[in-house]
Amino acid sequence: MGKVKRIMDKVLSAACAALLSFMTLLATYQVISRYVFSSPSTMSEDLLSYSFVWVSLLGTALVFGQKDHMNLSILSDRLVGVNKFVLSIFTELLIMFIAIIVFLFGGTQVVGVGAIQISPTLNISMDWIYIVLPISGVLIVIYNCINIIQLIQQFNESKKEGIL
């Protein structure tokens, strides 16, 4: 599982870095075209918006995979042993449930609506933009499964070593 997670981390990190680089170049182009040539580009503005959505949602999946998301550790810091393990599993399952409902089910419905919409400036179907919702949902669920497996392995190792 660790190898799969490392590959996913590298791919998502590279995708986010590429998107951020693209956005930087696009914003620079937009500023130059607007202020130097007095000819603003509406296409670049839409591309920036869509790229921002993609980098945000792919970055969200990456952050959940690395367990770097915001959390309130008031309770988890006070727990030890089985109680901490149960809370960690519950947290992963709760995140997974929300990802399935919001990103997978909700995202799939949004993609369906996007299939009948066309971006006015880019002239592409909006489902190409919205597809990132179910993609990030799948990634979050995969990360949750990996995290749960790792938590179980750590718990079992702790039991074997007599820490619990």
Side-chain angles (χ1 to χ4, degrees):
M1 278 296 140
K3 186 175 183 178
V4 172
K5 186 174 181 179
R6 281 192 300 276
I7 291 170
M8 286 178 59
D9 287 349
K10 285 182 182 180
V11 169
L12 275 176
S13 295
C16 288
L19 278 169
L20 284 172
S21 299
F22 173 72
M23 290 171 62
T24 302
L25 292 172
L26 200 56
T28 303
Y29 164 75
Q30 188 176 11
V31 168
I32 290 171
S33 68
R34 178 172 297 197
Y35 293 108
V36 175
F37 300 118
S38 298
S39 178
S41 169
T42 55
M43 180 186 74
S44 63
E45 193 166 323
D46 278 355
L47 269 174
L48 272 170
S49 297
Y50 300 149
S51 297
F52 181 74
V53 170
W54 271 71
V55 78
S56 298
L57 290 171
L58 292 177
T60 297
L62 180 62
V63 165
F64 276 113
Q66 295 177 345
K67 296 182 185 180
D68 281 340
H69 52 80
M70 291 177 26
N71 62 40
L72 295 173
S73 59
I74 296 169
L75 182 59
S76 65
D77 286 347
R78 294 180 184 183
L79 296 176
V80 293
V82 175
N83 293 331
K84 187 168 190 145
F85 170 73
V86 169
L87 179 64
S88 297
I89 296 291
F90 174 76
T91 302
E92 290 294 332
L93 290 173
L94 182 62
I95 292 169
M96 184 187 297
F97 175 75
I98 292 169
I100 289 170
I101 297 298
V102 174
F103 289 99
L104 290 177
F105 292 137
T108 303
Q109 290 179 344
V110 170
V111 170
V113 170
I116 59 173
Q117 298 174 337
I118 301 292
S119 170
T121 56
L122 299 177
N123 201 26
I124 61 170
S125 178
M126 289 301 289
D127 57 351
W128 287 104
I129 307 303
Y130 300 146
I131 195 73
V132 72
L133 286 162
I135 288 172
S136 61
V138 166
L139 292 169
I140 291 170
V141 169
I142 291 169
Y143 272 128
N144 286 134
C145 292
I146 292 170
N147 289 343
I148 289 170
I149 290 168
Q150 288 177 339
L151 284 167
I152 292 169
Q153 289 172 342
Q154 290 169 356
F155 180 75
N156 287 335
E157 286 175 17
S158 297
K159 279 175 58 176
K160 285 180 185 176
E161 294 173 3
I163 297 173
L164 296 179

